[in-house]
Amino acid sequence: MPSNKHTRLTAAVTGCLALTTGLTACGGSSNAADSKGAEKVVTVYSADGLKGDKGDGWYDKVFAAFTKKTGIEVKYVEGGSGEMVQRAVREKSNTQADVLITLPPFIQQADGKGLLQAYKPQGSDQVKGGDKATDGKWTSVVNNYFGFVHNKKELPEAPKTWEELLDGRFKGKLQYSTPGVAGDGTAVLIKAMHDFGGKEPAMEYLKKLQANNVGPSSSTSKLAPKTEKGELLVANGDVQMNFAQSKSMPNLGIWFPAKDGGKPTSFALPYAAGLVDKAPHTENGKKLLDYLLGEDAQKLVSEVGGGFPARSDVKPTDANAVELTKLMTGVEIFEPDWADIDKNLTAYVDAWKSATGS
């Protein structure tokens, strides 16, 4: 597995979704209370990718075990990383979420908007410095990498370069999630700017690519099923989410584009979790964060979730872990300047909108 200084990733296809007027719980009574009358619930707002469409994802297993151990019911709401942050901002005067889990740069954005309070979960001392905030506002719970998927049946050999995607055979057969809304969509911009050597050349390329692009998608997880069915030949994604999906989608293949003449590249996109400021159930949120970083939960990250443990002292040897290491072999890992991206994200997204007419 490649070494990395700033690791990620993203989130569920289905599951307990939020309704406009309330929350659907992941099980149990929504009014469960302990003997002191305090609600035994914790509400999680998360980027999609860690919950299974058949109830077999990492979140499914870990939340159920957490509830069994503590009696605290987990209410789960998911969407794109930006979408979850925006929702939390709208609710700032009447906070609903206890724990927020998103991909970079949205976890930094959430911190910048005053949405997070400092808390260093048990086990966070084993998370590498680049994968957590120095002030305790957030820490990675699952590490991951950005990538693309292709349909192995209709496109047996994955494209090797960005430039190949401009070919006419991809017209109406290529889609990537919306930058500024989805974490993995924003990752398309970050990788393109890295691979092409800056904002301007990246936007020039994405302008050309727009001729083949199907159009916007607020959630990356919706693109893999389209790729599996052959509606798309190529889409963006991330290693953890797509690896987990590939277990039930045999046509799904993961690949990493390179600039013509260069090496395939990727970067870490950790699922980063923070305790929401003025959370309605702060103590329950702390307990959940402790549990997510506990050894038992971290050992299931690769085996169940198809991702990479956030704790450096947890080194899985299951079949998935071996396969994931092989998948990442030969991929050059770079570290984005997250401070710059956080500061200039709006300008980058505006440049993308202008270039693509989106």
Side-chain angles (χ1 to χ4, degrees):
M1 189 183 305
S3 62
N4 56 87
K5 300 176 183 177
H6 206 117
T7 322
R8 148 182 117 82
L9 300 23
T10 172
V13 180
T14 62
C16 308
L17 301 180
L19 303 177
T20 304
T21 56
L23 298 173
T24 301
C26 287
S29 167
S30 60
N31 295 313
D34 60 20
S35 58
K36 297 180 181 179
E39 268 196 305
K40 299 206 73 175
V41 297
V42 60
T43 298
V44 178
Y45 283 11
S46 176
D48 54 348
L50 291 173
K51 199 169 193 305
D53 58 348
K54 296 181 180 179
D56 55 356
W58 187 68
Y59 275 160
D60 301 286
K61 301 286 186 183
V62 174
F63 288 169
F66 173 74
T67 298
K68 183 177 181 180
K69 179 178 180 180
T70 65
I72 298 171
E73 170 194 348
V74 180
K75 294 183 177 181
Y76 178 72
V77 183
E78 76 167 29
S81 289
E83 180 186 357
M84 290 296 92
V85 172
Q86 290 164 13
R87 177 166 178 159
V89 169
R90 291 195 302 270
E91 296 171 349
K92 205 170 179 182
S93 61
N94 182 27
T95 307
Q96 301 295 310
D98 301 301
V99 172
L100 179 66
I101 304 177
T102 77
L103 311 184
F106 295 98
I107 195 68
Q108 291 92 339
Q109 185 183 84
D111 185 19
K113 292 180 180 294
L115 294 177
L116 306 177
Q117 59 175 301
Y119 179 66
K120 297 182 179 180
Q122 296 174 22
S124 62
D125 59 317
Q126 297 295 334
V127 176
K128 294 179 181 179
D131 299 335
K132 61 187 177 184
T134 55
D135 61 0
K137 292 292 185 66
W138 58 267
T139 183
S140 300
V141 292
V142 171
N143 286 339
N144 196 8
Y145 299 93
F146 177 63
F148 277 69
V149 291
H150 69 108
N151 180 295
K152 295 193 292 186
K153 183 179 179 181
E154 302 294 332
L155 190 67
E157 187 174 344
K160 290 182 172 57
T161 68
W162 286 103
E163 287 81 0
E164 285 183 60
L165 298 179
L166 300 177
D167 190 272
R169 64 180 168 148
F170 293 108
K171 186 173 180 62
K173 291 287 187 176
L174 176 151
Q175 189 173 17
Y176 60 90
S177 50
T178 307
V181 176
D184 288 325
T186 305
V188 172
L189 287 188
I190 295 170
K191 177 171 160 60
M193 287 191 293
H194 171 270
D195 289 0
F196 286 94
K199 183 179 76 170
E200 296 308 322
M203 298 309 160
E204 288 177 18
Y205 169 79
L206 292 172
K207 181 178 181 178
K208 296 175 184 176
L209 186 64
Q210 194 66 11
N212 289 342
N213 187 19
V214 171
S217 174
S218 63
S219 176
T220 313
S221 64
K222 297 175 182 177
L223 303 184
K226 292 182 179 181
T227 307
E228 163 70 15
K229 295 173 185 175
E231 294 175 25
L232 299 173
L233 291 177
V234 171
N236 70 314
D238 63 72
V239 173
Q240 175 278 321
M241 178 172 65
N242 295 144
F243 185 85
Q245 289 171 321
S246 70
K247 298 303 181 181
S248 60
M249 299 180 190
N251 292 328
L252 212 60
I254 300 172
W255 66 288
F256 306 90
K259 187 179 183 299
D260 192 20
K263 295 181 179 180
T265 67
S266 183
F267 63 97
L269 276 177
Y271 287 94
L275 186 66
V276 177
D277 188 43
K278 298 181 177 63
H281 311 103
T282 293
E283 293 307 311
N284 294 346
K286 290 179 179 179
K287 290 177 183 177
L288 179 61
L289 288 172
D290 290 345
Y291 195 83
L292 294 180
L293 274 178
E295 288 190 38
D296 289 345
Q298 287 291 300
K299 287 175 181 177
L300 294 177
V301 168
S302 58
E303 182 182 348
V304 175
F308 306 84
R311 288 179 57 154
S312 59
D313 62 334
V314 175
K315 303 182 185 301
T317 57
D318 58 272
N320 283 352
V322 173
E323 194 173 344
L324 286 162
T325 298
K326 184 178 178 181
L327 177 66
M328 299 304 300
T329 300
V331 180
E332 185 178 277
I333 304 300
F334 66 91
E335 182 178 351
D337 183 344
W338 291 115
D340 170 76
I341 293 166
D342 181 38
K343 179 181 177 181
N344 296 300
L345 179 61
T346 299
Y348 293 149
V349 172
D350 287 345
W352 170 80
K353 289 178 180 177
S354 177
T356 61
S358 299

